[in-house]
Amino acid sequence: MSGRGWLVAGGWLSIGAALLHLGCIALGASWYRFFGAPPLIVRGVEQGQAWPHFVTLGIAVVLGVWAAYAFSGAGLIGRLPLLRAGLLAIGAIFAWRALDLPIILAVKPDAVSPFIAWSSLIVAVYAACYLIGTWQSWSRLGQQSAARSNTDALDS
């Protein structure tokens, strides 16, 4: 798969995750529980508190922005600021989150829940999409930046 393909896949995965977070807001505590939200979040939702929904909405918005960066890197939408750095940071954050499973296995193996195991493996796929896509597209992403700088200089 090409770098663009990896980034498009990462963008769609991020959109999917954002939609699942919005589904939790719309469908309530059972969805939060099913998708492994911490007990504090589930209790807050069950008690009718608004803050868990705001946290979840914030996560959905961040995932949407990350999808936009992936689509920008793939050339599907206009170039976003700090594109290469953004894609690297997003991939690194996903990779960091994927480390939950090996860290918990090493430190306290009996604390590994199905949620930690599955979500770490899924997020590792997200990290791979962003990092492989960025790596394979690195020079093209730099050329876009150089082309924009040359165009900006001509416009001055």
Side-chain angles (χ1 to χ4, degrees):
M1 185 168 11
S2 72
R4 285 184 171 133
W6 284 104
L7 290 170
V8 169
W12 282 113
L13 287 170
S14 294
I15 292 288
L19 291 173
L20 288 175
H21 281 81
L22 294 175
C24 288
I25 294 169
L27 298 170
S30 63
W31 267 51
Y32 280 95
R33 191 176 298 103
F34 177 79
F35 286 107
L40 178 66
I41 300 266
V42 175
R43 274 193 308 275
V45 172
E46 290 172 338
Q47 294 170 358
Q49 298 174 355
W51 70 267
H53 298 306
F54 287 120
V55 169
T56 305
L57 179 60
I59 293 168
V61 168
V62 167
L63 288 164
V65 169
W66 289 0
Y69 267 81
F71 294 145
S72 177
L76 298 180
I77 64 173
R79 185 178 177 84
L80 294 176
L82 301 170
L83 183 58
R84 287 205 278 187
L87 289 170
L88 284 177
I90 294 163
I93 291 167
F94 278 133
W96 182 261
R97 170 56 183 82
L99 291 175
D100 279 0
L101 179 60
I103 290 170
I104 293 172
L105 279 173
V107 175
K108 192 173 179 187
D110 57 324
V112 174
S113 67
F115 172 76
I116 289 171
W118 282 110
S119 64
S120 291
L121 293 171
I122 290 167
V123 172
V125 172
Y126 284 57
C129 288
Y130 278 85
L131 294 173
I132 293 170
T134 302
W135 175 62
Q136 290 183 349
S137 301
W138 190 259
S139 62
R140 179 181 53 78
L141 295 172
Q143 290 169 351
Q144 289 174 348
S145 180
R148 173 164 287 157
S149 295
N150 290 340
T151 303
D152 291 344
L154 293 174
D155 290 340
S156 300

